[in-house]
Amino acid sequence: MPPQPPPPQVPQLTKKQIKAEKRKKRRLAKAEGCPRKPATSFVMFSNAHRDEVKKANPTLPMIDIARKLGEMWRELDPMIRKEWEDRATSAKDEYLEAKKAWLEQRSSNINGLYKDD
C-alpha cells in the first residue's frame, strides 16, 4: 500500500483574528437602498467646526482635536446649541419619512413577487 499524504495543515488563528471573525459574524448585512441614519447634533457641529480647529492647532493629533470639539460643544451657548439640535431633529424626521417610504416600497416589491396572477 502506497504511503498516504499528510493531512492538510490548518492555519492557526491568533486571538486577534478570532475576535475579528466573531465581529464579522455579528454584523448584519445592510439592506440595499435603505436610507442612512442622520448625524446627531454634536456630530453636525463637529463636522462644521473641525477645519477651524485644525487650522488653529495644526500640530494636534486627531484625538486632541476631538477633545477640543467636545469642550467647545459643552461650552456652547444654549441658544446656538438649540439650533444644532433643531437641525438634527429635522434631519431625523426626514430620515424617518424616507425610511417609512423605503419600507413600504420594499414590502410592496416583496408582496408583488408572491401574488398569483
Side-chain angles (χ1 to χ4, degrees):
M1 195 187 239
Q4 293 185 346
Q9 294 291 325
V10 178
Q12 296 295 321
L13 298 176
T14 64
K15 287 183 180 181
K16 191 174 186 179
Q17 291 171 328
I18 292 170
K19 282 184 180 181
E21 288 296 318
K22 286 182 180 179
R23 253 188 267 118
K24 283 181 188 177
K25 289 178 185 177
R26 275 189 259 158
R27 290 185 190 153
L28 296 176
K30 293 191 177 190
E32 199 170 309
C34 182
R36 287 186 63 178
K37 285 188 177 183
T40 63
S41 55
F42 172 70
V43 172
M44 288 180 175
F45 172 82
S46 297
N47 290 341
H49 291 88
R50 186 171 291 114
D51 289 337
E52 295 172 21
V53 174
K54 279 184 183 179
K55 285 179 185 174
N57 307 293
T59 59
L60 277 182
M62 195 62 186
I63 188 77
D64 292 334
I65 291 173
R67 282 189 187 118
K68 181 80 173 159
L69 287 167
E71 289 172 14
M72 290 171 62
W73 177 252
R74 284 188 293 275
E75 295 169 0
L76 197 61
D77 182 62
M79 294 299 291
I80 298 172
R81 191 172 181 160
K82 175 109 174 76
E83 291 175 16
W84 286 103
E85 290 169 351
D86 291 342
R87 289 182 195 179
T89 302
S90 65
K92 185 176 181 181
D93 292 340
E94 291 173 14
Y95 162 74
L96 291 174
E97 289 174 16
K99 185 175 180 183
K100 183 177 178 183
W102 175 75
L103 286 172
E104 288 174 358
Q105 184 238 350
R106 183 175 170 210
S107 66
S108 67
N109 286 348
I110 291 173
N111 289 340
L113 293 174
Y114 297 109
K115 284 186 180 177
D116 293 331
D117 290 329

